């Protein structure tokens, strides 16, 4: 299949880039913008493959040729159809025309010339027959995708186009007269648990990790979805409303920010920052929207600078007066990523159940060592949990999360009772609602709200109207739904306590991953009979605590600029005096024999918190890596020294 930006001619170069820069054995290889999958398929013999693309026709190909390890046998189908390929290619066609013939051939009212009428009718017959076999359970899921992939690969060979489906030819190309033939693929068995995804790359990053991440994003303003809209329609066969001379299907939710010069830099920084992979290999054109200096800086900011490399490969692409072929290069970037500390483990999957043994929500999720908050709260400690939790004591009676925020630490505590405290009363009311509602009722209400207000990652008007509705009614479940479609999934309020976070266009939505996080969090909250309170930390009733209890503190950091401690969100700001008052409270806990732990930073961007440093001298100080993303004070390059201060020593510590 001819495909924009295909890397078929660069496979050896990519392989050489990997072998030159990576000298240890790696297990997994992720092709996160897979396209036709030539890169993923090439490396399948060497690695366990993760492939992904937002286009469904691409997903079909990866599902069949990358994820799958065996040629289907069609055992059940063979009781009535001995050879499905011969049947699909040669069975007499019905007289009734269907979608492809009506919309992409001269037989239709629009008279479009993508296919001859005979080939269009054959495509309709093949597609509807495959779907019929699936519905009747005559073929397995693997066989279904194998047949669909065969059809998708066959269609371009009889398409009356120059290369893409952005337009059709006004005269018939000789290839269009050929009879469509379905290829039967050889399938490579790499004896590994490969996985294909059909997700937005930013969403996928949240629940995958591995060794090598290969990135081949769009590099110019040409969107892939409209250029391959006919293949996407055949793949989905969803009878979309077509528009224009070329019969374009809607593709708003498949637009790539990498095709926008105003969004591409931020998108690339986010993609690299959140990538939980040990090594990054990037293909990009010298004619792309991002310049090589920016790419280099972004990679070095998020990776180990000494490992950075760039290979420039002459790429003969244009022959015009504007571009000289010697000035056009395909870039191959490499860098070793800084440790991400993601707690997801790669290959195994399991079904997530709620506490009731009779009800299953059927969510496939990666094995998680730690529960993740359903909220993306600024300053959240989720990615630091692998470092934090081993430093906290076990078998606690009451665990107090004094500045709980999203609750990532408290929800993972080993304790008999949980108390979450935060001055943000709006947040606590939402958590209380989570703790009181039946889980099935909560999930049903969320689904009904999304449907009622027509919320999606592309419908900004619906989001704005729903945000206004929430600010008038303050329903706590509505607040959670609102956050699902907000920019970076975050919470932000103005001085009137009105929610004012903007819309998360093309990214934020209520995904299966968010649903899984919510279920696990609510399960733990309800099983632990957690309490949610909103004391100012100075008024928290510490006199009720005993030596078997524990207090964890993650206050706003004095020398950072987080929006939650600037006093401009309708809640109390954090000052030097606040720091001193907290240290006095912790000293009192220590005098009473109550264990505590304090998260904070000693230094940040050249600033030092000398008050904290001097106070901490009498306690144990653990220095942590701080290269996690959801924080306004992160980044190792800024010189931040993240610490955990405790008034106890763990077994084996000196």
């Amino acid at each position: 299949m001819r495909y924009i930006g295909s890397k078929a001619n660069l496979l050896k170069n990519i392989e050489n880039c990997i072998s030159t820069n990576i000298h240890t054995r790696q297990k997994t290889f992720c092709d996160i913008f897979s396209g036709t999958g030539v890169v993923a398929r090439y490396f399948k013999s060497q690695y366990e493959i993760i492939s992904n693309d937002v286009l469904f026709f691409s997903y079909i190909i990866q599902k069949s040729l990358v994820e799958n390890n065996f040629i289907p046998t069609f055992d059940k189908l063979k009781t009535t159809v001995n050879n499905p390929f011969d049947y699909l290619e040669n069975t007499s066609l019905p007289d009734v025309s269907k979608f492809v013939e009506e919309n992409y051939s001269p037989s239709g009212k629009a008279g479009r010339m993508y296919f001859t009428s005979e080939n269009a009718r054959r495509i309709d017959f093949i597609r509807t027959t495959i779907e019929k076999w699936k519905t009747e359970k005559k073929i397995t899921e693997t066989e279904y995708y194998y047949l669909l992939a065969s059809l998708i690969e066959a269609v371009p060979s009889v398409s009356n186009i120059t290369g893409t489906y952005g337009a059709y030819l006004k005269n018939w190309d000789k290839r269009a007269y050929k009879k469509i033939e379905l290829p039967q693929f050889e399938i490579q068995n790499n004896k590994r648990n490969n996985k294909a995804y059909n997700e937005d790359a930013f969403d996928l990053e949240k629940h995958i990790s591995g060794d090598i991440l290969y990135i081949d994003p769009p590099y110019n303003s040409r969107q892939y979805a409209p250029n391959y809209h006919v293949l996407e329609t055949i793949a989905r066969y969803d009878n979309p409303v077509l528009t224009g001379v070329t019969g374009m299907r809607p593709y708003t939710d498949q637009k790539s920010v990498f095709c926008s010069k105003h969004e591409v830099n931020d998108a690339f920084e986010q993609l690299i920052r959140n990538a939980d992979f040990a090594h990054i290999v990037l293909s990009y054109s010298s004619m792309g929207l991002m310049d090589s200096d920016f790419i280099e800086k972004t990679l070095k900011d998020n990776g180990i600078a000494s490992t950075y490399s760039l290979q420039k490969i002459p790429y003969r692409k244009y022959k015009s007066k504007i571009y000289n072929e010697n000035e056009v290069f395909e870039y191959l970037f490499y860098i070793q990523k800084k440790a991400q500390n993601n707690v997801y483990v790669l290959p195994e999957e399991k079904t997530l159940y709620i506490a009731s043994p009779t009800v299953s929500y059927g969510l496939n999720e990666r094995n998680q060592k730690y529960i993740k908050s359903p909220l993306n709260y600024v300053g959240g400690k989720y990615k630091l949990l692998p470092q934090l939790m081993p430093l906290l004591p076990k078998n606690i009676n009451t665990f107090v999360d004094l500045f709980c925020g999203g609750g990532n630490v408290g929800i993972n505590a080993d304790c008999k009772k949980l108390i979450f405290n935060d001055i943000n009363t709006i947040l606590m009311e939402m958590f209380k609602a989570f703790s009181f509602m039946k889980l099935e009722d909560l999930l049903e209400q969320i689904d009904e709200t999304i449907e009622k207000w027509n919320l999606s990652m592309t419908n900004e008007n619906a989001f704005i109207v729903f945000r206004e509705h929430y600010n008038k009614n303050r329903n706590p479940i509505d607040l959670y739904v609102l956050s699902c479609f907000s920019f970076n999934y975050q919470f932000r309020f103005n001085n009137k306590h009105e929610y004012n976070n903007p819309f998360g266009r093309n990214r934020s939505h209520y995904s299966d991953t968010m649903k899984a996080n919510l279920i696990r969090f609510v399960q733990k909250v309800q099983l632990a009979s957690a309490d949610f309170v909103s004391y100012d930390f100075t008024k928290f009733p510490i006199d009720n605590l005993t030596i078997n209890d524990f207090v964890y503190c993650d206050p706003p950091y004095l020398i950072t600029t987080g929006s939650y401690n600037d006093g401009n969100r309708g809640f109390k700001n954090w000052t030097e005096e606040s720091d001193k008052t907290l240290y006095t409270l912790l000293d009192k806990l220590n005098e009473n024999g109550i264990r505590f732990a304090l998260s904070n930073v000693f230094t940040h961007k050249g600033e030092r918190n000398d008050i904290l440093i001097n106070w901490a001298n009498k306690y144990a100080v653990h220095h942590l890596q701080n290269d996690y993303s959801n924080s306004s004070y992160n980044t190792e390059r800024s010189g931040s020294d993240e610490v955990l201060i405790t008034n106890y020593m763990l077994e084996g510590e000196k």
Side-chain angles (χ1 to χ4, degrees), residues 251-289:
Y251 65 93
T252 302
D253 60 346
Q254 293 177 312
K255 284 185 177 180
S256 174
V257 291
F258 286 92
C259 296
S260 167
K261 65 179 180 179
H262 301 296
E263 298 179 279
V264 62
N265 285 2
D266 289 342
F268 181 68
E269 284 185 320
Q270 178 183 342
L271 188 74
I272 298 301
R273 182 175 65 247
N274 294 338
D276 191 10
F277 285 80
H279 307 275
I280 292 177
V281 178
L282 167 72
S283 291
Y284 206 69
S285 173
S286 61
M287 297 169 59
L289 297 176

Side-chain angles (χ1 to χ4, degrees), residues 286-287 313-330:
S286 61
M287 297 169 59
I313 304 163
Y315 198 81
R316 186 172 181 177
K317 189 175 181 65
Y318 292 91
K319 293 181 179 180
S320 71
K321 295 179 182 179
I322 300 176
Y323 298 108
N324 183 297
E325 64 181 76
N326 294 325
E327 296 174 342
V328 180
F329 296 92
E330 184 74 22

Side-chain angles (χ1 to χ4, degrees), residues 442-480:
L442 172 62
L443 297 176
E444 182 177 356
Q445 183 172 330
I446 291 170
D447 289 336
E448 288 176 353
T449 301
I450 292 171
E451 181 177 358
K452 175 183 177 180
W453 292 91
N454 196 25
L455 298 171
S456 72
M457 68 173 72
T458 58
N459 195 342
E460 185 170 6
N461 288 334
F463 172 85
I464 293 172
V465 172
F466 183 60
R467 186 176 63 188
E468 292 174 354
H469 168 78
Y470 165 73
N471 283 328
K472 290 179 181 178
N473 296 277
R474 301 299 179 96
N475 181 293
I477 306 305
D478 286 351
L479 174 60
Y480 171 74

Side-chain angles (χ1 to χ4, degrees), residues 533-575:
V533 295
S534 293
Y535 290 102
D536 183 295
F537 76 94
T538 61
K539 298 179 181 179
F540 188 90
I542 63 171
D543 291 336
N544 295 336
L545 301 177
T546 72
I547 60 173
N548 296 317
D549 301 328
F550 178 81
V551 178
Y552 171 70
C553 299
D554 182 25
Y557 294 177
L558 182 64
I559 59 174
T560 70
T561 55
S563 60
Y564 51 77
N565 68 350
D566 61 6
N568 295 321
R569 299 293 178 262
F571 300 99
K572 184 178 178 180
N573 64 325
W574 193 264
T575 65

Side-chain angles (χ1 to χ4, degrees), residues 61 67 83 109 124 223 314 353 397 435 438 550 563 618:
I61 296 172
E67 181 174 302
N83 186 327
K109 292 181 180 179
D124 277 320
Q223 293 281 351
Y353 294 89
N397 186 17
S435 67
K438 288 184 178 180
F550 178 81
S563 60
K618 54 190 170 185

Side-chain angles (χ1 to χ4, degrees), residues 295-327:
I295 294 174
E296 177 180 352
K297 181 181 184 302
T298 302
L299 291 175
K300 287 182 175 179
D301 284 348
N302 293 277
I304 301 173
S306 61
T307 66
Y308 169 84
S309 73
L310 168 61
Q311 182 183 4
K312 297 181 180 180
I313 304 163
Y315 198 81
R316 186 172 181 177
K317 189 175 181 65
Y318 292 91
K319 293 181 179 180
S320 71
K321 295 179 182 179
I322 300 176
Y323 298 108
N324 183 297
E325 64 181 76
N326 294 325
E327 296 174 342

Side-chain angles (χ1 to χ4, degrees), residues 24 85 96 176 183 214 227 276-277 292 335 369 402 412 414 498 548 561 575 588 634:
T24 56
F85 293 91
V96 179
Y214 172 68
N227 277 297
D276 191 10
F277 285 80
S292 59
I335 200 158
K369 183 177 180 181
L402 194 58
N412 289 284
D414 182 5
E498 294 174 332
N548 296 317
T561 55
T575 65
K588 183 176 180 181
N634 77 80

